[in-house]
Amino acid sequence: MTDFGGVLDLKIAYVNATFFTLDKDNLIFENGMMITEDNSISYIGQQLSELIDVEQIVDLKGKWVLPGLVNTHSHILMTLLRGKGDDMLLKPWLETKIWPLEQQYTTEIASVSAQLGILEMLKTGTTTFSDMFNPNGIDSDEIMESILSTGIRGAFSHTIFSMGSQIEQKRNLVEAERFAKKYKRVADGRLTTMVSPHSPYACRTEALLESLRIAKENELMVHTHVSETENEVYEIEKRYGVRPVEYLRSLGIFNQPTIMAHGVVLNDEEREILKHYDVRVAHNPISNLKLGSGIADIVSLLDSGIKVGIATDSVASNNNLDMFEEMRVAALLQKGMYKDATKLPAEKTLALATRIGAEAIGMGNTGSLEVGKKADFITIYPYDKEHLQPISAAYSHLLYAAHGNDICDVYIDGKNIVKDRVCLTIDEEKVIAEANRLQGKLVC
């Protein structure tokens, strides 16, 4: 087993810190303690006077500790496309910029892009992600191996398209099924995959039905883009006579656990359908704004009892993977849209980016600091940061003032992945140099 900078299978006590559990009770332990054992949390609470069988004590020196953030929808292979196709609407952006550029990818370009994206995620506090990648022209096994080596947790999913010839479409589905079977559980469950038909507009009915079959046979979630723009809804209505949510429901897609990215254009009837089938939504506020797609009504989704996670989408439409910024924008948009400052308060928004987001992508064994959950956590040292003062308003600062660059340390499965803002599992200097070298090969 690879040691990602931590001591494996030891009973470790983390002391002298403020722990924000972000569990259902939103417990906070000042001068608290957390004990991890076998990659999971075995104790969280006030400082214990006696430590039994603890093999290592880590003094966190007053840091804030919270669960690792959960990014419920991303495209890390698009990291090298940051800054490409700015200021465009979704459809022309995809068809004239993003998809043509992805056609030029090699395995080397895709691997470096993935490493760069994960490096950014880790150093800004994301410990779990759910990603869709375009498999065109790359060795997906090699990419998955490079992801495994970073220590991150998540789901990396082969996107299914209905593009090109019938032979190409068949090859795409065969490869998607092979990938699903091989990677549905790897690294002791730290990484998995989902079945990811791109969208109702980029997949024919037979491709969606095949996606459903693959998901059912492999007991995997479905991850897809749905109702991102008004034009998309119009196109699907014109093509099939119903809106996207009803179309997918009629095919039986929602009989399988599903997370849909975006959900910007939804009505009350569609929210009822999503609630009935326990369909989860990955909310991408900054990407939706930048692409001019609109503002998703997250308050109505939550009021309907639908699980919602926060997400960044790709850096080609964001342009960063900072979940703190994403959370803040998500909360402020709902307050502004409703003209009601009580909407999406700090506690709820932080939960969407941690515990509820983890539940939304089927990884409820992380997302909060609770006994039995995985030891995935991040730290912030607030005392030398002007924007995190006064210290007494810490909970507010985590949403309204903090940003990804405030992260000091990142632990996943109890292993130290980022220490004092240095990633221990990725050669940062090499990846950045290679990213700039390879980006010049992409021309559109």
Side-chain angles (χ1 to χ4, degrees), residues 50 95 97 110 136 174 181 188 220 236 255 287 355 383 409 425:
E50 183 178 0
E95 294 177 350
K97 288 290 183 179
N136 181 69
V174 168
K181 290 179 182 295
D188 295 323
L220 293 171
I236 297 303
N255 292 323
S287 177
R355 174 175 52 83
Y383 298 99
D409 311 297
T425 60

Side-chain angles (χ1 to χ4, degrees), residues 17-21 23 27-33 43-46 369:
T18 297
F19 294 87
F20 300 84
T21 64
D23 61 6
L27 297 175
I28 300 174
F29 298 103
E30 295 185 17
N31 192 29
M33 171 185 286
Y43 174 81
I44 180 79
Q46 298 297 339
L369 303 181

Side-chain angles (χ1 to χ4, degrees), residues 43-286:
Y43 174 81
I44 180 79
Q46 298 297 339
Q47 178 85 37
L48 298 176
S49 58
E50 183 178 0
L51 298 178
I52 301 174
D53 299 327
V54 168
E55 297 162 277
Q56 183 179 353
I57 298 175
V58 177
D59 184 353
L60 293 176
K61 300 179 179 179
K63 291 176 179 175
W64 295 343
V65 182
L66 58 154
L69 304 178
V70 179
N71 188 341
T72 54
H73 178 72
S74 63
H75 300 278
I76 56 171
L77 265 59
M78 293 171 66
T79 308
L80 288 193
L81 304 184
R82 192 191 323 253
K84 298 283 189 179
D86 286 342
D87 309 320
M88 298 179 69
L89 294 172
L90 177 65
K91 193 171 189 293
W93 177 76
L94 285 172
E95 294 177 350
T96 68
K97 288 290 183 179
I98 300 305
W99 288 340
L101 285 166
E102 288 181 325
Q103 292 290 318
Q104 302 171 38
Y105 267 44
T106 63
T107 300
E108 182 185 27
I109 290 172
S111 180
V112 169
S113 188
Q115 292 270 316
L116 182 62
I118 291 174
L119 176 62
E120 184 178 352
M121 284 187 180
L122 290 172
K123 291 188 70 173
T124 54
T126 292
T127 57
T128 301
F129 75 121
S130 181
D131 193 273
M132 298 171 66
F133 73 94
N134 188 337
N136 181 69
I138 65 171
D139 183 340
S140 56
D141 292 331
E142 186 172 324
I143 308 304
M144 187 59 131
E145 286 300 317
S146 72
I147 294 172
L148 280 165
S149 70
T150 68
I152 200 166
R153 185 184 306 283
F156 186 61
S157 306
H158 179 295
T159 307
I160 294 169
F161 289 100
S162 291
M163 295 179 178
S165 67
Q166 290 292 330
I167 293 175
E168 290 172 323
Q169 293 174 51
K170 178 64 175 177
R171 187 183 300 124
N172 179 262
L173 282 164
V174 168
E175 174 60 16
E177 184 164 14
R178 182 200 69 82
F179 193 85
K181 290 179 182 295
K182 184 171 183 177
Y183 294 112
K184 58 186 177 182
R185 181 178 172 82
V186 289
D188 295 323
R190 177 167 57 80
L191 284 178
T192 185
T193 187
M194 298 183 186
V195 180
S196 295
H198 180 274
S199 59
Y201 62 84
C203 289
R204 296 191 179 95
T205 299
E206 55 268 28
L208 290 168
L209 291 174
E210 274 295 282
S211 299
L212 176 59
R213 178 190 63 78
I214 296 168
K216 281 184 175 179
E217 291 181 4
N218 292 280
E219 298 181 319
L220 293 171
M221 288 187 68
V222 173
H223 183 182
T224 186
H225 303 87
V226 185
S227 298
E228 187 172 357
T229 67
E230 291 179 353
N231 284 340
E232 174 197 338
V233 173
Y234 172 77
E235 181 178 333
I236 297 303
E237 277 190 303
K238 184 177 178 181
R239 191 186 302 179
Y240 300 111
V242 292
R243 290 162 63 97
V245 168
E246 173 57 24
Y247 171 57
L248 293 176
R249 186 208 63 79
S250 70
L251 297 180
I253 299 295
F254 296 154
N255 292 323
Q256 194 67 12
T258 299
I259 182 162
M260 53 177 260
H262 303 296
V264 175
V265 186
L266 297 171
N267 58 32
D268 289 343
E269 182 181 351
E270 289 167 321
R271 282 186 282 269
E272 284 299 313
I273 291 172
L274 300 182
K275 168 59 179 173
H276 178 78
Y277 288 93
D278 191 25
V279 176
R280 300 88 187 266
V281 175
H283 176 43
N284 305 260
I286 295 177

